[in-house]
Structure formats: C-alpha cells, structure tokens
Amino acid sequence: MAAAKPEKRGWARFDDLARRIIEGWALAGGVLLLLIALMNTWSVISLAVLGYPVPGDFELVQMGVAIVAFSYLPYCQLKGANVTADIFTAGASRVTVAVFTLLAALVAAFFCVLLLWKMSNGMVSYLRYPEVTTILNIPQWVAYPPILASLALLVLAAGVTLHEAIMEMRPGKRASPDPN
C-alpha cells in the first residue's frame, strides 16, 4: 500500500491553488488561440471558395492574440520561463539562485502592479470615451477585462515564486527536485 502524502497546509495549499488557477487560465488562452486559428483558417477558405473572408477577421485576431499573449504571462512566471540568464547562475549555489529568483519576483510583481494600474486606467478611458472597431463595431474595452485578469494572476504568480524563493533560502533546505 502506498504511503499517504502529507496534507499541505497554509501557504503551500495557497500556492497549489494559485498554480491550478494560473494553469487553467493559460489553458483557456490556448483554447482561445485555437479558436482564433480556426476562424482565421475559415476566413482564408471562405475567401478562396466564396470570394469573401470572415468580416472583421483581423479585428478578432488582434484582440484575441493580445488576450492570449497576456494569458500566458502568469504561467511563464510560475515556470521560470521568462527572460533569464542561466549562464551566470549555472555554477551558483541554490541559495544564490534563490536570491536572484526572489529579486526577479519582486521586480516582476512591481512591474505587474504598475501595468495593472495603467491598463485599468486605459480601460476606464475606453469606457468613458467609447471607441469601436471599424468593421464589427466591437467596443475596444472588451479586451481589457481578460488582460487585467491576466495581470492580476501575474502578480499572484510573482507572489508564489517569491514565496518559493524564500522557502528555498531557508537553512537546511535541500534542493527540491524539479516537478516538471
């Protein structure tokens, strides 16, 4: 009989929940990207066969790809897949790497909060002074809520990586195996 896993408590449970939410968000972004690709394919086929594309296809692609790109950012933060310079830390101790990870998480959190603030102002501006797309007349602000949710999840992901870096720096902590 297999030994039962110890129950996670406190921050570990929170980190796991945050990871699941962020992974689900990234998967939703992948589904949206697939739908965009299918719509684009249909538009090209429609143009070739019927002589006209899906009306406003480029508007939908622009908005959709912006949403998709932002939806992947929190997942990239969790996986450490953002821009890194591993060549400088290849021979470094686990604590040194954890310190750099901690600093990177702090910088990421700062810029995410800044982006969230400024993008929120942008959405308010589009709500106050409505603009719509040229062909489909879609209000420009509709892309903002999922992008703002992505930025909020990016702040959360930075918090998770910050917590993990702090835990990695604890004395007597052994390097944990890569979960991937």
Side-chain angles (χ1 to χ4, degrees):
M1 182 179 272
K5 289 183 181 177
E7 184 177 323
K8 292 184 177 182
R9 296 178 189 259
W11 284 109
R13 288 182 71 190
F14 180 79
D15 286 357
D16 285 348
L17 176 63
R19 282 183 176 282
R20 285 195 298 274
I21 291 168
I22 289 167
E23 288 169 359
W25 189 253
L27 286 171
V31 169
L32 179 59
L33 185 59
L34 178 63
L35 293 173
I36 292 167
L38 291 172
M39 185 271 311
N40 210 16
T41 303
W42 175 252
S43 184
V44 170
I45 292 170
S46 174
L47 179 63
V49 174
L50 304 174
Y52 56 90
V54 172
D57 58 349
F58 62 92
E59 295 173 350
L60 296 172
V61 168
Q62 282 178 331
M63 289 178 131
V65 169
I67 293 167
V68 168
F70 276 91
S71 74
Y72 293 150
L73 292 177
Y75 184 76
C76 290
Q77 176 67 31
L78 279 184
K79 296 297 180 180
N82 291 329
V83 176
T84 59
D86 293 338
I87 192 166
F88 297 114
T89 58
S93 71
R94 117 186 119 67
V95 173
T96 302
V97 172
V99 168
F100 282 124
T101 302
L102 182 135
L103 292 173
L106 285 172
V107 169
F110 171 76
F111 280 106
C112 295
V113 168
L114 183 66
L115 266 173
L116 189 58
W117 170 46
K118 297 311 279 179
M119 293 285 286
S120 297
N121 289 346
M123 182 174 135
V124 168
S125 178
Y126 273 123
L127 287 169
R128 193 172 294 144
Y129 307 103
E131 288 184 33
V132 295
T133 61
T134 307
I135 296 173
L136 297 177
N137 290 322
I138 299 171
Q140 293 282 354
W141 68 265
V142 299
Y144 278 77
I147 289 171
L148 293 174
S150 293
L151 289 171
L153 287 173
L154 185 52
V155 172
L156 180 62
V160 169
T161 55
L162 179 69
H163 177 249
E164 288 173 350
I166 291 169
M167 297 306 289
E168 191 66 27
M169 290 188 304
R170 291 188 326 193
K173 170 85 172 99
R174 282 196 226 166
S176 55
D178 191 303
N180 296 329

